[in-house]
Amino acid sequence: FIIMISTWVLVIVMLLAFVNGAINKDDIQLCAKVQTSSSVVPLGSPVTATCVIRDDCPVLIGQAVHIEWRLGDRFLQSSPMASESGRVSEVVIPSFNYTRAFLTCCVQASPLQVVGGVEIRAGYPPEAPQNLSCQTNLTTPNTLTCSWDPGQQETHLLTKYTLHTKIWDSNENHVYELLPGVHCYTIPRSGFALFLEMEIYVKAVNELGEATSVPIILEPVSAAKFDPPTILKVQVEPKRYGCLKLSWSLSQQQAWMHDCRLNLEVRLKTAHSSQWSERPILVSRVRPTRPVEQCRLLHGTQYLAQIRVRYQQSPWSEWSSSQSGVTLESAPSGRLDSWMKVSGDNKQLNIHLFWKPSKQFRANSQNVSYIVSVQKLPGEKGKVCSTLGNYCTFQLPKRAKKVYLSAVNAAGKSSPTEVPIYSPKAHTVISDITVTPHNNRALLVQWRSLISSSLTGFVVEWRPLLKTDLSLTQFKMTARNQTSIVITGSFEPYKPYGISVYPRFKDGIGLPQTVNAYSKQKAPSMVPKIRIKKTWQSGIELTWDEIPLDQRNGIIQNYKVFYWKEKALINVVNAAREERRVVLKDLNTVSLYEAFMMVSTFGGSLNGSTIHFEIEPFDAVAVMMIVTASGVGLSLLIIFTVMTCFAIHKRLKGHFWPAVPDPANSSIKRWTSGSTQV
């Protein structure tokens, strides 16, 4: 920006010189001569300039001469050279830090007169071009494209690049000139031979020098990136177990190279795998007409194959599309890991048997079934279960001690795996199970265990709680001194899993400890509705239903009930997650209250809807007590009244109805009768 301003200032100064004069352009040019060591210099280098004014310069006729120097719009210190007239001056610029600037020689006049000047440009010599590389295009038309890096340093000068080629066996040389700023070039088919070596280099030239890249020597076909090849078919040969034969070809546009020996890489993966083999298999110097065989593969397994090609050290082509093939089947080999859960009574055992392949197990087939038998030798007589799954449920007599588990395919049967039948033991040695997310696809299970001499290890079992399919049950065995394990699998976020840890003893399986766990948690999907269970004069009891398991989205940590009355502070009551009830106390009567509940997990919280309630002066309990007390009091009053009435009945009767003597029963009669007899 400063350089631009300086340049424009100089232009304005020159224009003023032309406008001010009574002198034409030729007079000014002849008035002074400015000479420099060079008009193009390395940036930051010193510059020396000399200004010589002619004696007959019309601008200075009859005037004293005083010379000044300007670089752009900046005055420079100068030193007059020894001369009789003082018309020679020299200036030294210690470090020229402009990429382009005008240096002018001026004389003091009214106004200042520019009598001569010169433009000085500065920059850097070019760097040697780096990273020269070329790639051949084998599609029609064939071309050879070369590119390079001009270097990190800006030269600030016009730099020209030329691409030079030399075909060795033909002594044919070519030079290709490039436009400024272009650092790649495409050589036409006439400029190279596919199978003849050639030397290629780039030259950079500017006014301060030139530089040449390190030459590269290549055979154009070895710099070609082929189109992705095609796998025509994947076959197996009789009795070639673990082998696949791949027939392949180049693309149609490159099929003319079918006799060339190419390098080929093969990568494989099983049909159920998401990752290709870490190291592709290299097959050197192979013709497209020759099939490629890959061996040491798993038997009876479907593979997906891809290939890519190159010529000598050329870039690899892109991978071909996938083709599948299945190796020949053989009988299953290796053992199965099993886990048995036993229950029952004194007569028979109810058994759930789960299994999975061990690291040594090979199914050697795509279709494998499993047989559980009470006899070691194969046969239908002792078979209790046959399934394509990974578990079996069956019943056995109480005296049964072991079963045998075998894998079967069309080629044969594996050696049986002996599974002892252990009865459950009422031993509790496990406590404090914790489950924490290890990553998106794993959980860390930890527990504590009491020391027991008969303890041989642990079984960690897990299954999704929202699905009832027993085939989704998984398990892992651990040693007796191991009290933590990382379990992996397709754990869905926000879905509950039941995780149990069983102790294994020498003679049985102990009681498990079970917890629910989540790989990832979030706020519940719903909040249960609050119900009013009962009220009394200064309190209320609220209850709610349990959140369905599929809507919890995590472990419920707590319930909080927020309640308030109009224009009053909000009160909060925590509820135990097991009870699902809360009691609000010290409430004011004849006041309208509002309340809502918040449910929280480790992943978030959700608020429920608001309810309204009012505490009456006399609640139902108080009314019942008053009615009951009144009834009892009234009953006592009636009884007391009746008893009193009976007590004073005779007295009242004698008062209101006096007794009249009965002449027939009078004592006078008896007395008169006695007197007469005498």
Side-chain angles (χ1 to χ4, degrees), residues 349-365:
L349 301 175
N350 299 318
I351 297 176
H352 293 275
L353 179 62
F354 302 89
W355 57 84
K356 63 180 181 179
S358 66
K359 292 181 179 179
Q360 297 79 26
F361 180 79
R362 297 291 181 267
N364 297 331
S365 173

Side-chain angles (χ1 to χ4, degrees), residues 164-168 171-174 197-201:
H164 301 256
T165 65
K166 179 181 179 181
I167 303 176
W168 282 2
N171 291 323
E172 184 179 342
N173 299 335
H174 295 277
E197 287 189 337
M198 61 190 302
E199 180 181 357
I200 303 174
Y201 64 91

Side-chain angles (χ1 to χ4, degrees), residues 18 149 183 186 190 277 295 299 375 497 504 555 650 664:
F18 281 102
D149 183 357
H183 307 299
T186 299
S190 59
S277 52
C295 292
H299 299 185
Q375 294 182 353
Y497 290 83
R504 290 187 299 146
I555 303 295
K650 293 182 179 181

Side-chain angles (χ1 to χ4, degrees), residues 74-202:
R74 183 166 61 91
F75 285 100
L76 301 176
Q77 293 291 331
S78 62
S79 58
M81 298 183 66
S83 66
E84 296 179 358
S85 60
R87 292 177 176 245
V88 180
S89 178
E90 183 182 77
V91 68
V92 177
I93 305 172
S95 178
F96 190 84
N97 293 320
Y98 300 90
T99 58
R100 171 176 288 187
F102 284 95
L103 179 64
T104 56
C105 177
C106 308
V107 294
Q108 286 189 350
S110 181
L112 186 71
Q113 297 290 331
V114 178
V115 294
V118 66
E119 183 186 30
I120 302 174
R121 291 179 293 120
Y124 298 103
E127 293 184 48
Q130 304 290 324
N131 304 322
L132 174 61
S133 62
C134 300
Q135 183 169 316
T136 306
N137 175 28
L138 291 179
T139 58
T140 304
N142 296 158
T143 57
L144 179 62
T145 300
C146 297
S147 61
W148 59 90
D149 183 357
Q152 297 182 352
Q153 189 176 50
E154 174 64 45
T155 63
H156 303 293
L157 298 172
L158 179 62
T159 302
K160 295 182 179 180
Y161 291 88
T162 52
L163 180 66
H164 301 256
T165 65
K166 179 181 179 181
I167 303 176
W168 282 2
D169 289 355
S170 65
N171 291 323
E172 184 179 342
N173 299 335
H174 295 277
V175 177
Y176 304 97
E177 294 187 358
L178 281 75
L179 295 173
V182 177
H183 307 299
C184 65
Y185 189 81
T186 299
I187 302 173
R189 180 67 181 86
S190 59
F192 64 95
L194 280 173
F195 294 96
L196 293 180
E197 287 189 337
M198 61 190 302
E199 180 181 357
I200 303 174
Y201 64 91
V202 179

Side-chain angles (χ1 to χ4, degrees), residues 184-245:
C184 65
Y185 189 81
T186 299
I187 302 173
R189 180 67 181 86
S190 59
F192 64 95
L194 280 173
F195 294 96
L196 293 180
E197 287 189 337
M198 61 190 302
E199 180 181 357
I200 303 174
Y201 64 91
V202 179
K203 180 181 287 188
V205 178
N206 67 14
E207 294 172 283
L208 291 178
E210 65 179 43
T212 302
S213 69
V214 176
I216 60 173
I217 299 172
L218 57 82
E219 183 182 5
V221 71
S222 68
K225 182 175 181 178
F226 285 73
D227 294 336
T230 301
I231 300 177
L232 301 176
K233 56 184 176 180
V234 180
Q235 297 173 295
V236 294
E237 294 184 354
K239 297 184 180 181
R240 294 285 290 171
Y241 292 98
C243 293
L244 291 174
K245 185 170 69 174

